[in-house]
Amino acid sequence: MADRPAARFRKLGPRALAAIGRQQWLDRPSYRLEHLLSFAFNGLGRSRNTVMNALNGVWLGHPVHPPLASLTSGALGTTVALDALSVLPGRPAHELVDASRFAGRALGVGILASIGSAVTGVSDWQHTHQEDRRVGLVHGVVNLVATGLYAQSWWDRRRGLHRRGIALSALGYLITVGGSYLGGALVFESGIGIDQSGRRLRTQEWTPVLDAGSLNGKPVRVEVDGVGLVVCQTKPGEVSAYGEFCPHLAAPMADGWVDRGRLVCPWHGSWFSTESGEVVRGPAAAPLPCYQARLVNGVVEVRGEAQPSLGEA
């Protein structure tokens, strides 16, 4: 009997996620927001790709949003802890003043990190769909409300209203915890922001996969040792092999195409270098797995990349 309350509590989060995912009325405002974002990004002209790559984390190799969200949570958690210390009875006055002052500084860092987290998060969110899009929209709105409370708290502290500022920060942090649960569900349950390129090819043996005549200018799916790949002709007389799925949201790269030395994702338009698989343009942040490929007597052969030995740096 004692386990029933705990079981009900554990089911509360999944039920909330399911309820949010069913709210189809959220689709209209979410797509309107996406259109505004697209209009804003397209208005950047030639700088669009540079800005989008920076926000999507191409330079980092994975999305920027998660580390900024961690920085936000850490700074705001520090604020709440220092606030609690500043109101403890029986402490020397100078310690209370120091705790209050450093709490305000941590709060400022948390607000800045929260703004950065919001900007990078919305660039990831705009490529989601259906239930994930609805949960992501609520996640963003919840965190926006919390950030507003933090900003008011910071302003109140500046005006000497410390107790009111402490109360607003505590309330904002409770809201942030709820928003973090939604964000965690998007990452760990839906794989948003996780490399979804799938299993890697490890075999070091050259393996024939198809006749070169089967290549028709588009990527062709093959399978080696249970691992899906796509093979395409990138230059006259040259072939390349890549992972089957886009690292962003597992789009089938067999539906993509080659354009001026880039392999293009069919879903969200990520560009990958045909020479290395590195990201040229997001929203993908992680590179597309790229394997060795060659032509032997009109047959395409592939193998996995060489793995460094333990003694190599």
Side-chain angles (χ1 to χ4, degrees):
M1 297 292 292
D3 291 335
R4 289 186 179 179
R8 291 174 182 172
F9 182 77
R10 286 194 299 269
K11 293 179 180 179
L12 182 61
R15 287 176 177 172
L17 287 170
I20 296 172
R22 291 193 297 267
Q23 305 306 308
Q24 298 183 13
W25 63 272
L26 292 172
D27 293 343
R28 177 172 291 184
S30 69
Y31 280 108
R32 285 181 176 176
L33 176 58
E34 181 192 359
H35 293 157
L36 288 175
L37 291 172
S38 298
F39 181 79
F41 287 134
N42 290 334
L44 297 173
R46 295 182 178 180
S47 300
R48 178 187 184 277
N49 289 350
T50 301
V51 174
M52 289 300 299
N53 285 352
L55 295 178
N56 288 320
V58 174
W59 57 276
L60 190 59
H62 66 74
V64 185
H65 178 68
L68 281 177
S70 297
L71 176 60
T72 302
S73 298
L76 297 174
T78 300
T79 300
V80 173
L82 290 173
D83 281 342
L85 181 62
S86 70
V87 297
L88 285 177
R91 305 290 297 182
H94 69 277
E95 291 186 8
L96 300 181
V97 172
D98 288 342
S100 179
R101 182 172 69 252
F102 285 117
R105 294 177 180 177
L107 178 61
V109 172
I111 292 172
L112 293 176
S114 181
I115 294 172
S117 179
V119 173
T120 54
V122 77
S123 66
D124 295 338
W125 167 84
Q126 66 176 327
H127 301 290
T128 58
H129 304 281
Q130 297 180 342
E131 289 84 358
D132 291 338
R133 173 174 286 257
R134 297 162 194 159
V135 172
L137 181 64
V138 174
H139 167 70
V141 171
V142 166
N143 285 327
L144 184 63
V145 170
T147 301
L149 292 173
Y150 296 136
Q152 184 62 50
S153 171
W154 183 85
W155 179 244
D156 286 344
R157 293 166 194 257
R158 297 279 293 181
R159 295 188 300 162
L161 303 175
H162 293 287
R163 292 194 176 276
R164 177 177 167 178
I166 289 172
L168 289 175
S169 293
L171 176 59
Y173 193 69
L174 289 175
I175 295 174
T176 295
V177 170
S180 298
Y181 177 84
L182 298 178
L186 290 172
V187 173
F188 296 111
E189 295 183 16
S190 301
I192 306 299
I194 295 176
D195 186 343
Q196 298 194 42
S197 54
R199 293 176 55 197
R200 301 295 198 266
L201 180 64
R202 301 300 183 188
T203 179
Q204 292 302 295
E205 300 295 330
W206 285 105
T207 304
V209 291
L210 79 167
D211 293 332
S214 302
L215 299 176
N216 56 3
K218 294 187 61 179
V220 177
R221 185 187 184 279
V222 299
E223 191 170 302
V224 179
D225 291 344
V227 179
L229 312 174
V230 291
V231 177
C232 58
Q233 182 173 344
T234 52
K235 295 179 181 179
E238 294 186 13
V239 292
S240 298
Y242 310 94
E244 177 183 12
F245 299 112
C246 176
H248 178 225
L249 287 176
M253 295 305 296
D255 293 337
W257 59 91
V258 177
D259 178 33
R260 292 170 292 179
R262 301 172 299 225
L263 184 59
V264 183
C265 170
W267 285 2
H268 304 114
S270 295
W271 296 349
F272 301 94
S273 167
T274 55
E275 295 183 356
S276 63
E278 294 293 328
V279 180
V280 178
R281 186 182 81 176
L288 184 69
C290 184
Y291 303 108
Q292 299 179 73
R294 68 182 184 183
L295 285 172
V296 178
N297 298 325
V299 175
V300 179
E301 297 183 348
V302 300
R303 70 175 182 180
E305 292 289 350
Q307 300 299 310
S309 64
L310 294 178
E312 294 179 3

